[in-house]
Amino acid sequence: MSDDHSILRLKDVHYQWSGPNAFGLTILDFHIKRGETALLLGASGSGKSTFLSLICGTITPHSGKILVDDVDLTTLSNGKRDRFRGDQIGLIFQQFNLLPYASVLDNILLPLRFSPSRKAKVDSPNSTAARLCVALGLPQGILEKQAGTLSVGQQQRVAAARALIGAPPLIIADEPTSALDAATQTVFLELLFNQTSANGSTLLMVSHDARLADQFDRVVQIADIVETTKETV
Ligand code: ADP
Ligand code: MG
C-alpha cells in the first residue's frame, strides 16, 4: 500500500437520528491520509460524535459509503463490522470508559482480547503495556492500580495506552482533553502524537477547542464538510 492512499474516506453519507427534532447529517466527501494527525472542530451539538460513530460503524448510514482502509463498513454484517472495528480502530472516548474496578494493566490489554490481529503485533503484553505507560508519562507501578482510583489526567493516559496497544491503523479520539487545563492538554497531545507516529497510525480527533489547532497536521471545521438539518416541529 502506498503512503498517499487514504485510511478513511466518506462519500455521499447520510444519517438521520429518529424522533421529533431529528438531527440529520450529510457528508459529501471527506478523507484522511495515512499517517496524518487531523483535528475536526465544531461546536457542541454540531454532530461530531455522530460523525465518529459512523466511522466506527456503531451506527450505520442510510446511504453512502464509509471506507476504512479500503473496506466499506456499510457492506459488512454487524459481527464482521465489530471485529473490523476492533482490528482497525483504537478509540479514546470523551469519558475514557475505563473499567473502574479493573487494574490499569487489564484495561490496557482489553482490546487484545477482541482483536487477534492486534494481539499478534504484541510479543509480550505486560511489557508492552508498561512501555506504553512510560511513553505516556505515567508513573512506574501504576499497572496494578485500580483504574477508578487514578486522577483524570492519568485515566486519560491509560485510555490512550488502551487505544494504542497493538498498533491499530486508525486512532479516533472524541474530545479526550476536554476535562484538562491547556498545559496538560498540550503535553498529552505531544505524547499521543509521538506514540501514534511510532505505531505508523493515523489520528483523527474531534474537539470544540480551537486552541489545539496549531498542534495538528490538518484542521477541518465540521461545518465545512457536513450539512446538517434539524427539523422543527
Ligand atoms: P457533538 O458531539 O458535536 O456535541 P452529537 O453528534 O453528539 O454532537 O449530537 C448532534 C445532534 O445529534 C444532537 O443535538 C442530537 O439532536 C442528535 N443525537 C445525538 N445522539 C443522539 C441519540 N443517541 N439519539 C437521538 N439523537 C441524537
Ligand atoms: Mg460529542
Side-chain angles (χ1 to χ4, degrees):
M1 269 172 284
S2 66
D3 282 347
D4 59 1
H5 111 181
S6 305
I7 182 77
L8 174 71
R9 179 174 284 274
L10 285 83
K11 195 96 182 100
D12 300 323
V13 168
H14 180 66
Y15 184 80
Q16 182 86 45
W17 286 109
S18 54
N21 287 315
F23 178 92
L25 127 173
T26 303
I27 303 127
L28 295 180
D29 194 6
F30 177 72
H31 63 98
I32 294 185
K33 281 193 284 188
R34 203 171 282 276
E36 244 179 350
T37 60
L39 177 67
L40 191 56
L41 282 174
S44 175
S46 60
K48 300 184 298 297
S49 293
T50 304
F51 182 82
L52 293 186
S53 299
L54 285 164
I55 293 167
C56 294
T58 46
I59 57 174
T60 308
H62 301 283
S63 55
K65 287 175 195 281
I66 301 174
L67 294 121
V68 176
D69 205 12
D70 289 335
V71 174
D72 186 354
L73 296 184
T74 65
T75 65
L76 302 180
S77 66
N78 289 345
K80 277 202 175 143
R81 204 163 46 233
D82 287 346
R83 280 196 294 280
F84 185 76
R85 179 190 317 121
D87 289 342
Q88 300 288 324
I89 299 179
L91 273 167
I92 308 175
F93 299 93
Q94 193 161 6
Q95 309 298 335
F96 313 141
N97 295 11
L98 299 177
L99 303 172
Y101 298 108
S103 68
V104 167
L105 179 65
D106 287 345
N107 270 281
I108 294 174
L109 298 184
L110 196 64
L112 305 185
R113 284 208 228 159
F114 300 105
S115 170
S117 76
R118 283 170 72 176
K119 190 161 192 273
K121 287 192 242 167
V122 175
D123 287 336
S124 159
N126 290 23
S127 55
T128 303
R131 185 189 55 73
L132 276 168
C133 282
V134 171
L136 290 165
L138 286 164
Q140 297 277 356
I142 204 164
L143 286 172
E144 300 311 321
K145 290 204 172 143
Q146 265 189 358
T149 65
L150 307 183
S151 73
V152 173
Q154 287 176 332
Q155 290 190 33
Q156 180 195 44
R157 287 161 195 236
V158 173
R162 182 178 61 180
L164 288 159
I165 198 157
L170 186 59
I171 304 289
I172 287 185
D174 192 355
E175 310 218 31
T177 58
S178 54
L180 302 169
D181 61 71
T184 313
Q185 280 183 23
T186 302
V187 173
F188 169 75
L189 283 178
E190 270 173 26
L191 296 169
L192 180 62
F193 291 156
N194 287 344
Q195 291 311 300
T196 305
S197 136
N199 278 354
S201 306
T202 305
L203 175 72
L204 170 61
M205 180 169 139
V206 301
S207 178
H208 63 270
D209 189 349
R211 290 174 306 176
L212 307 174
D214 288 352
Q215 289 182 266
F216 286 79
D217 294 335
R218 181 164 165 223
V219 180
V220 180
Q221 298 286 341
I222 194 160
D224 292 340
I225 58 154
V226 169
E227 286 170 38
T228 57
T229 53
K230 191 153 194 166
E231 288 160 22
T232 45
V233 273

